[in-house]
Amino acid sequence: MITGLKISTIWVLDQDSALDFYTKKLGFEVRSDTRMGPDARWVTVGAEGQPDLELALMKPGPPAVDPESAEQLRTLVAKGVLGAGVIGTDDCQAAYEELSARGVEFVQPPKKRPYGVEALFRDDSGNWFSLTERSETLDESIGWD
C-alpha cells in the first residue's frame, strides 16, 4: 500500500553547485549527502518543517539512466525546459524579494492567477519552479494568461 510521496528527483548538472543553491539561496536543509562509490553521490534536501518530503539532487547517468539518455537529460536541463515543481509560500511577493536578493533568477515576477499568486524561477541548473501562494478559492475572474 502506498503511504505517500517521500522523495522526488531533480536532475542537476553539478551536485555541489545545486547543494549550494538549494541550501544557501532557497534555505533548504541537507537531509543526505553520501558518496556511493567513485561516481555516485546521494544528495537530498528538504524544506525546514517538512521532514517527510525530500528532493534528490541527481546528476543524470548510470545506473539509473543510460549514457545516451543522460546526455539528452543534461541538454534539456541546461536549456531550461524541465519544470521541477511547485514550492509553496504564504507570501509570494515577500519570498520573491528575499530570494531575488539572494541571487535567485526569476523568469516571471509575482503575478495574480486564478489559484493565487505565482512567480517562476530557475535553479542553478536551469530547472524552473513555480513559487506559489495559493488562494483558498479559485477565482476564475482573474485571467489565466
Side-chain angles (χ1 to χ4, degrees), residues 6-8 10 18-19 21-24 26-33 43-57 87:
K6 300 293 185 187
I7 300 174
S8 182
I10 307 293
L19 189 58
F21 178 87
Y22 282 85
T23 57
K24 293 181 180 168
L26 296 187
F28 284 22
E29 55 191 25
V30 177
R31 302 282 173 77
S32 302
D33 187 357
V43 180
T44 67
V45 295
E48 186 178 326
Q50 189 181 26
D52 58 340
L53 180 60
E54 299 177 47
L55 300 177
L57 307 176
I87 295 176

Side-chain angles (χ1 to χ4, degrees), residues 2 5 17 22 27 37 49 51 56 60 69 77 90 93 114 116 118 124 129-130 138 140-141 144:
I2 295 173
L5 182 61
S17 178
Y22 282 85
S69 297
V77 169
D90 55 1
Q93 183 65 41
E118 176 186 55
D124 65 312
F129 287 86
S130 167
L138 185 66
E140 294 191 60
S141 69
W144 290 94

Side-chain angles (χ1 to χ4, degrees), residues 113-116 135 137-144:
R113 300 285 192 196
Y115 47 83
S135 298
T137 59
L138 185 66
D139 183 353
E140 294 191 60
S141 69
I142 299 171
W144 290 94

